[in-house]
Amino acid sequence: MARMKFLCDADRCIECNGCVTACKNANEVPWGVNRRRVVTLNDGEPGEKSISVACMHCDDAPCAAVCPTDCFYTTTDGIVLHDKDLCIGCGYCFFACPFGVPQFPEQRAFGSRGRMDKCTFCAGGPEEPGSQAEFEKYGANLIAEGMLPACAEMCATKALLAGDGDLVAEIFHHRSTSRDGRPQTWGWATAYGAGLS
Amino acid sequence: MEKQTRQTTRSRKTLRRIAAMTLFVAVAAMVVPLSGYVYVAMAQETEQAQTQVQPWAETNPRSDVWRQARQATEGRSAIRGPGANVVMTSSGETFRQIRMGPLSTYAPWYLALMLGAVALFFIISGGGEKIAADSGKRLPRWSRFDIALHWFVAILFLVLAITGLSLLFGRAVLIPLMGPEGFAAWALASKNIHNYGGAFFVVGVVLMIVAWTRYNIPDATDVKWLLKGGAFGKHLPAGRMNGGEKAWFWVNVGAGIIVCATGVMMINPQVFESRELFQLNLIVHAIVAILWLGASFGHMYMATLGAPGSMDAMTKGHVSSEWAKVHHDLWYDEVKDQEFSDDQPREAAPGGNASTSSA
Ligand code: SF4
Ligand code: SF4
C-alpha cells in the first residue's frame, strides 16, 4: 500500500493561498476553520520563503496519543483520520500537534469549542464513503474516487505535492538535485560547508 | 676581433638579463602564493572589525528557511489563529510525552500507594480509639454555614476528581468497559461537569479560605503535635484544630489556589498567548490535583475510622465532650462553658454560632 505524504517545495511556493481556497471549497469547511494555511518566513526580506502547512499524517501522531476518547485512526494509506461522533472537543489534540492542525468551529464560554476538524487528506472519515453524512462531517472523499487532495491538485506552481510518499520523494529528489544554485538540502552546509556548492 | 668582442659582450648582457628575469619569476612564484596568508589575515581582520560575513561563510538560505521552520520561527500567515504563523513547534510532543508518560504512569501508582498506606495504617493500628460518650454532654463545633460549605466543597471535590480522572485514564480503563461510544458520551459529560462544576468549586475554595484561616494559624502546640506523632493516634495537647488538621487546611489552600487558578485559565483559553503556556498549565493542573486527591484520602480516613466521633462535627455540628477532651483538650478547656446536654433540642444549643464563639 502507498504511504500518503504531503510535501511543500519552499522554492516554488508563491503564497497564492490557492491550496487553502481549494481545500475550503472542496470540503466546504465552516467559517473560521482552515485545514491548510500558508506560512511565510522572512516576509519582505531577502530569502523570503513560503510553506503550505496542513496535517502531516504523522506515523506516530501526537494528536492520536493524547486524545481522551481515542477517536483517531490511521488508514492503510497512512492517512490520520478521526471520528467526530467520539470527539468531545477538549482541544488536547490541538495542543499536542506540532503543526497546529486541529481546528475548532467555536470559541465560547467555558472553553467550549465544538468538535474538532482537521485535514483528512481529502479522504473523508468513518462514514459510508461518498455519503452525505460523510461530506457534512468530514468533507470530500476524493481518495475514494481515485483522486488526490484538492490542495495539491490545485497548486499552480506544483510546489505542493501529495500522493505516494516514494513518488513524491522521487520528484523532489530530482528537483533538488537538478536545480541550479546552492544545494538546498537541509543540513548540507553544516555537513560539508556552504562553500562546496 | 673588436667586433667579435662586442658581440660577446652583448650576448653576455642578454644572458644576464634572462637570468635576472628567471630569478625574478622564480622568487615571485615562491612569494606570491604566500600572499594568501596575508590575504586571509587581512580578511579575518576585516571580518572581526566589521563583523562582515565573507561570501563563503554565509549559510545556505535554502537550508536556513527549513531550520527556521523547525525552530518555531514566527512568520506571517493570511490565516489568523493561535500559532497559525508558525510552521511547527516541538512543545506539543513534549506535552504528549509528559501526559502519556510520567503523568499517566506515576499518578495511578501514587493514588494506589496513598490508599494502600491508609489501609495498612488501619490494619496495623486497628483504627482510632472509640470514645464512649456516656455523659451525653455535647460541645458545639461547626455552624450550619461551615457544615454546608464543607459538604459543598467536598462533594464537588469528589465529582471533579472522578470526571477529571475519567478524562485522563478513561481511555485506558473505561473504553474497554463501556465501548468507544459509551465512553465518548461519558467523556463529554465529564468534560462539561468538570468545566461548569469547577466554577462553583472555585467559589467554595475561596469561601473556605476566608472562613477558616483564622482557626488554622499554626503555633508551637501544632509543631509538637506533629513532631511527636499526633497523626499516628497519640493523644497530644491540641487546641480547636490540631497540627494535622491545620496541615490539611494549608494543603487545601495551596493546592486549591493552584488547581483553581490553572482551571479557570483553561476554561478561558483566550488568556493564553501561546500553546506552550496552555500545555504547561494542563500538566500542572493534573499533577497538583492528583497530589491533592491522594492527600485527601488521609483526611477521609481520619474523619471516619481514624478518630471515631469526628464525623459528628461535620454532620451534627457538635461533638461529645469526651471526644473533645481526648482530641482537643486545650479547646475543651476554652469552651467547656458552652456544653449542652444531648437531649436538649438542637435549636436551644448555642451551636448556631459555634464557629464564632469558639474561635
Ligand atoms: S493533526 Fe497534527 S499530530 Fe495529528 S497527524 Fe496531523 S500533523 Fe500529526
Ligand atoms: S478535541 Fe476531540 S479529537 Fe481532539 S483530543 Fe479532544 S476528543 Fe480527541
Side-chain angles (χ1 to χ4, degrees):
Chain A
M1 262 292 175
R3 172 71 177 81
M4 291 301 180
K5 284 282 183 201
F6 277 128
L7 191 145
C8 180
D9 188 339
D11 278 287
R12 284 182 173 232
C13 179
I14 55 169
E15 202 207 353
C16 69
N17 281 293
C19 49
V20 179
T21 315
C23 171
K24 289 205 75 136
N25 185 53
N27 296 304
E28 294 190 8
V29 190
W31 271 110
V33 172
N34 292 286
R35 291 181 176 181
R36 182 170 277 290
R37 66 183 195 275
V38 181
V39 179
T40 304
L41 296 171
N42 310 316
D43 190 30
E45 290 162 26
E48 168 185 322
K49 288 274 191 297
S50 296
I51 301 164
S52 175
V53 200
C55 178
M56 293 305 210
H57 300 280
C58 308
D59 264 345
D60 177 17
C63 57
V66 299
C67 177
T69 63
D70 199 7
C71 76
F72 290 86
Y73 62 101
T74 305
T75 70
T76 45
D77 290 334
I79 299 170
V80 177
L81 298 176
H82 79 297
D83 188 336
K84 284 197 185 184
D85 294 335
L86 301 182
C87 172
I88 60 167
C90 64
Y92 292 179
C93 49
F94 172 72
F95 296 108
C97 171
F99 304 97
V101 165
Q103 300 282 305
F104 297 87
E106 295 170 16
Q107 262 279 7
R108 296 228 211 104
F110 289 92
S112 164
R113 304 174 171 88
R115 293 177 203 277
M116 189 273 271
D117 188 276
K118 79 167 197 60
C119 159
T120 63
F121 209 83
C122 286
E127 297 280 349
E128 183 58 34
S131 65
Q132 189 61 22
E134 185 190 49
F135 185 74
E136 274 165 16
K137 280 186 205 160
Y138 308 101
N141 193 341
L142 302 181
I143 297 291
E145 295 173 39
M147 294 192 276
L148 284 172
C151 51
E153 295 287 286
M154 175 66 78
C155 183
T157 60
K158 287 284 157 271
L160 187 60
L161 303 174
D164 180 356
D166 292 339
L167 224 64
V168 168
E170 213 174 281
I171 294 170
F172 190 69
H173 180 249
H174 176 72
R175 280 187 192 175
S176 53
T177 47
S178 54
R179 211 172 257 163
D180 60 0
R182 266 172 287 206
Q184 65 188 150
T185 332
W186 184 25
W188 178 277
T190 314
Y192 306 113
L196 271 175
S197 53
Chain B
M1 178 79 210
E2 202 182 294
K3 203 179 178 188
Q4 214 183 20
T5 320
R6 224 188 283 155
Q7 260 180 354
T8 324
T9 323
R10 221 168 63 207
S11 66
R12 250 188 226 144
K13 264 186 192 162
T14 321
L15 269 177
R16 222 178 281 147
R17 211 179 290 144
I18 291 169
M21 292 255 293
T22 318
L23 193 68
F24 177 75
V25 170
V27 169
M30 284 187 284
V31 171
V32 168
L34 297 178
S35 68
Y37 290 107
V38 181
Y39 177 68
V40 169
M42 268 162 49
Q44 277 172 348
E45 234 162 59
T46 331
E47 196 176 50
Q48 278 164 0
Q50 305 173 356
T51 55
Q52 217 177 39
V53 183
Q54 292 300 322
W56 61 75
E58 194 182 272
T59 55
N60 183 347
R62 280 174 169 163
S63 323
D64 279 347
V65 73
W66 287 107
R67 195 168 287 117
Q68 282 178 325
R70 183 66 190 82
Q71 290 166 352
T73 307
E74 289 194 18
R76 203 194 68 86
S77 178
I79 307 300
R80 299 273 164 264
N85 60 346
V86 170
V87 177
M88 63 181 113
T89 56
S90 307
S91 67
E93 180 62 12
T94 314
F95 163 72
R96 170 245 185 115
Q97 282 178 353
I98 295 174
R99 187 171 186 276
M100 307 320 287
L103 182 57
S104 297
T105 313
Y106 297 123
W109 278 111
Y110 163 75
L111 291 177
L113 215 70
M114 292 304 278
L115 266 184
V118 166
L120 197 70
F121 183 67
F122 176 67
I123 292 166
I124 291 171
S125 69
E129 180 190 341
K130 288 183 187 61
I131 301 158
D134 299 332
S135 70
K137 292 269 189 276
R138 313 284 301 174
L139 271 174
R141 189 160 165 83
W142 295 110
S143 72
R144 282 189 188 146
F145 168 77
D146 294 323
I147 296 171
L149 180 60
H150 174 267
W151 291 110
F152 176 75
V153 173
I155 290 167
L156 276 175
F157 182 85
L158 292 177
V159 167
L160 294 174
I162 291 166
T163 51
L165 290 177
S166 296
L167 291 174
L168 185 53
F169 299 116
R171 176 167 169 173
V173 179
L174 297 178
I175 292 181
L177 298 175
M178 306 164 95
E181 283 82 18
F183 176 68
W186 168 241
L188 185 60
S190 290
K191 188 196 85 164
N192 287 327
I193 295 170
H194 204 84
N195 284 356
Y196 292 92
F200 291 95
F201 184 68
V202 171
V203 175
V205 168
V206 170
L207 281 178
M208 226 165 64
I209 294 173
V210 171
W212 296 343
T213 301
R214 56 195 165 139
Y215 307 137
N216 288 288
I217 310 295
D219 59 28
T221 324
D222 305 322
V223 177
K224 262 183 237 148
W225 191 93
L226 282 171
L227 289 181
K228 292 197 177 159
F232 300 102
K234 264 200 195 172
H235 300 314
L236 297 167
R240 187 181 203 283
M241 311 296 284
N242 62 37
E245 288 171 308
K246 288 185 186 177
W248 169 237
F249 175 79
W250 290 108
V251 165
N252 283 321
V253 173
I257 288 173
I258 297 174
V259 171
C260 291
T262 50
V264 167
M265 288 196 284
M266 279 192 291
I267 51 178
N268 295 291
Q270 64 278 10
V271 303
F272 296 102
E273 281 173 15
S274 66
R275 276 188 285 163
E276 285 76 4
L277 285 176
F278 192 102
Q279 291 154 354
L280 184 69
N281 205 68
L282 195 57
I283 298 289
V284 169
H285 184 82
I287 292 175
V288 178
I290 287 170
L291 290 176
W292 195 10
L293 179 62
S296 80
F297 296 158
H299 174 65
M300 293 176 204
Y301 170 77
M302 289 315 265
T304 51
L305 302 167
S310 307
M311 200 62 154
D312 280 358
M314 269 306 166
T315 50
K316 299 176 182 155
H318 48 81
V319 290
S320 76
S321 297
E322 288 83 354
W323 181 90
K325 262 182 248 175
V326 170
H327 291 293
H328 299 273
D329 49 353
L330 303 177
W331 175 64
Y332 176 77
D333 293 340
E334 260 173 56
V335 298
K336 57 180 170 231
D337 53 325
Q338 294 173 20
E339 245 177 1
F340 64 96
S341 200
D342 210 6
D343 39 27
Q344 264 175 283
R346 180 73 182 82
E347 286 73 36
N353 58 352
S355 62
T356 42
S357 57
S358 60

